[in-house]
Amino acid sequence: MSDTSPPTARPELAAMVAAYNHMNHYGRTNGMVLTVPAPGQAEYRMTVRDEHLSSPNTCHGGVLAGLMDAALGAAALSLAFTTLEFVSTVEFKMNYLHAVHLNDELVARGVVDHAGNSLVVSSCVIYRVAFGKEDTAVARGLGTFNRYPANKRDFAKLVMQ
């Protein structure tokens, strides 16, 4: 006997990203703005504020690590969304290349390098923006993410209604 129920409609990527942005308190609290140009690509932008400093005028490395993890994960997540899956961080590493200072505008660009059945690997470069142009790579990173079915999380209910 075959199943004749209508297939579950897949939400559009833009709707899933909007729902993710709505629930992502970490990103909002830190002034991070996410855009997804295409599945497997993500861009976060933020400006370094007083609360991001660890010493006078210098951004704490943990802020950059948070931005890095977010961009790496968003790239993997945007690809996983296309198959109604989510991801969680397994590990990531990064190299700090240059100091970041108060009021620096940052752009983090993440891209999926490999998508397997259970793991996704993405890479990211964080740039400092000056005079409207990306002028200096301040950090580079690589992350591995676990793929899992969307129905394991309440988030699926937000985007699949």
Side-chain angles (χ1 to χ4, degrees):
M1 184 178 259
S2 66
D3 181 9
T4 58
S5 60
T8 303
R10 288 182 193 248
E12 294 296 318
L13 180 60
M16 295 180 90
V17 171
Y20 177 74
N21 276 330
H22 176 73
M23 63 163 278
N24 183 1
H25 299 289
Y26 178 81
R28 263 195 327 277
T29 299
N30 284 286
M32 297 164 50
V33 178
L34 171 65
T35 57
V36 176
Q41 299 175 13
E43 178 180 290
Y44 264 110
R45 290 184 175 269
M46 72 174 286
T47 300
V48 177
R49 304 183 307 218
D50 284 331
E51 60 265 33
H52 298 137
L53 303 181
S54 61
S55 62
N57 203 37
T58 304
C59 184
H60 189 283
V63 173
L64 292 176
L67 179 60
M68 178 66 69
D69 184 40
L72 290 165
L77 183 62
S78 70
L79 183 66
F81 276 166
T82 65
T83 55
L84 296 179
E85 295 176 303
F86 294 122
V87 298
S88 58
T89 307
V90 173
E91 64 83 34
F92 82 95
K93 72 163 292 274
M94 67 183 288
N95 299 108
Y96 297 93
L97 306 174
H98 293 280
V100 173
H101 300 100
L102 180 63
N103 298 320
D104 278 354
E105 182 184 343
L106 303 175
V107 59
R109 288 215 168 85
V111 62
V112 169
D113 298 317
H114 171 78
N117 290 331
S118 59
L119 296 176
V120 177
V121 176
S122 53
S123 57
C124 175
V125 179
I126 300 174
Y127 297 95
R128 179 176 43 234
V129 178
F131 307 108
K133 292 186 173 185
E134 297 164 13
D135 72 338
T136 303
V138 297
R140 292 182 179 272
L142 184 71
T144 305
F145 300 84
N146 179 49
R147 299 172 80 147
Y148 61 90
N151 61 7
K152 284 190 169 186
R153 296 282 186 220
D154 290 339
F155 177 69
K157 295 175 189 169
L158 293 173
V159 296
M160 296 167 59
Q161 294 178 355

